[in-house]
Amino acid sequence: MLNLTYPLTIKFKFGVINPQFSVVDGTGRTVAFVKQKAFKLREDISVFQDEAMTQVRYRIKADRWLDYNASYQFTDGEGRDLGRLVRKGARSFWKAAYELYDEGGKQDLLIQEDNGWVKVADSLFSEIPFVGLLAGYFFNPKYNITRPDGTKVAVFSKKPDLISRAFEMEKLAGFEEGEEVRIILGTMMMVLLERNRG
């Protein structure tokens, strides 16, 4: 997933049982496709080149079946370690927080929800008949992606939409080696986890 044109958009397929989404770059080119397997106790996600699902580019694998403080390992198609995503359980109850680590085990990025109240409002209003249909248009969480020194490198946010779910990533700074792949794989996994939480 190199030489990408931003913004990137994650588009979920509508009307399917298992979550499926494609990642499309700013030129409209599909750069990745994910289909989550049903009834897996431990997440093991294949990231394909495209919807044909013939070539696995990356894998994301959980280290445990309970997702409280779970770690999600990233590897390429040949099994080489690319880093991992760690969900910070206690902090995630209010505002979602995830740490990204490089292949050497050093934390190099943080993904943190901008405003916890958006998730609360979305959950409350989505349960009200008719009003709930509009919740997806007005309440859209945003996640800031920063380095430990506070440098904001990207913003990941849900796009206003009445029916389907789509997310967009804007690049705000140049990426260091390995960061781009970790950010994209990390936000893919995060969006699946947050989707399950509502």
Side-chain angles (χ1 to χ4, degrees):
M1 283 189 281
L2 299 175
N3 300 318
L4 301 177
T5 303
Y6 285 79
L8 300 183
T9 304
I10 289 181
K11 296 180 179 179
F12 275 86
K13 277 198 169 184
F14 184 69
V16 293
I17 297 170
N18 298 345
Q20 300 173 35
F21 62 82
S22 55
V23 180
V24 179
D25 78 358
T27 66
R29 174 179 59 129
T30 298
V31 296
F33 180 76
V34 172
K35 180 179 179 182
Q36 190 176 25
K37 294 177 183 174
F39 312 116
K40 295 283 284 184
L41 288 178
R42 246 174 38 168
E43 296 289 0
D44 186 359
I45 294 168
S46 297
V47 179
F48 298 95
Q49 176 75 38
D50 53 36
E51 289 189 41
M53 297 191 293
T54 53
Q55 183 184 359
V56 175
R57 295 284 306 277
Y58 304 99
R59 291 187 83 93
I60 305 171
K61 195 167 189 172
D63 67 343
R64 66 193 79 179
W65 66 274
L66 287 173
D67 70 357
Y68 184 82
N69 275 359
S71 175
Y72 301 88
Q73 190 72 38
F74 308 142
T75 55
D76 65 13
E78 284 73 50
R80 287 187 291 265
D81 184 13
L82 300 174
R84 63 191 168 99
L85 174 79
V86 176
R87 181 183 192 167
K88 304 314 291 179
R91 280 189 279 173
S92 292
F93 286 121
W94 169 240
K95 284 169 67 171
Y98 296 84
E99 293 174 350
L100 283 165
Y101 292 80
D102 65 18
E103 61 275 14
K106 179 184 173 188
Q107 185 199 344
D108 63 348
L109 294 156
L110 174 69
I111 304 172
Q112 188 158 17
E113 193 168 6
D114 190 57
N115 184 346
W117 285 110
V118 173
K119 187 190 309 166
V120 172
D122 186 34
S123 296
L124 290 174
F125 282 98
S126 63
E127 297 301 317
I128 302 171
F130 302 112
V131 175
L133 295 173
L134 300 174
Y137 195 81
F138 292 107
F139 302 109
N140 300 295
K142 182 171 86 171
Y143 304 86
N144 298 311
I145 303 167
T146 58
R147 294 193 182 110
D149 66 3
T151 303
K152 192 186 289 190
V153 296
V155 172
F156 184 73
S157 55
K158 184 178 174 293
K159 295 173 73 174
D161 198 318
L162 291 175
I163 299 171
S164 63
R165 290 211 171 233
F167 296 81
E168 188 171 89
M169 183 188 299
E170 288 280 357
K171 181 179 178 181
L172 302 179
F175 294 133
E176 295 177 0
E177 186 177 353
E179 281 186 342
E180 185 171 40
V181 169
R182 278 192 292 281
I183 289 170
I184 294 170
L185 294 175
T187 51
M188 284 179 174
M189 190 66 236
M190 180 196 74
V191 82
L192 287 171
L193 293 168
E194 293 301 304
R195 190 174 188 271
N196 290 339
R197 291 173 66 197

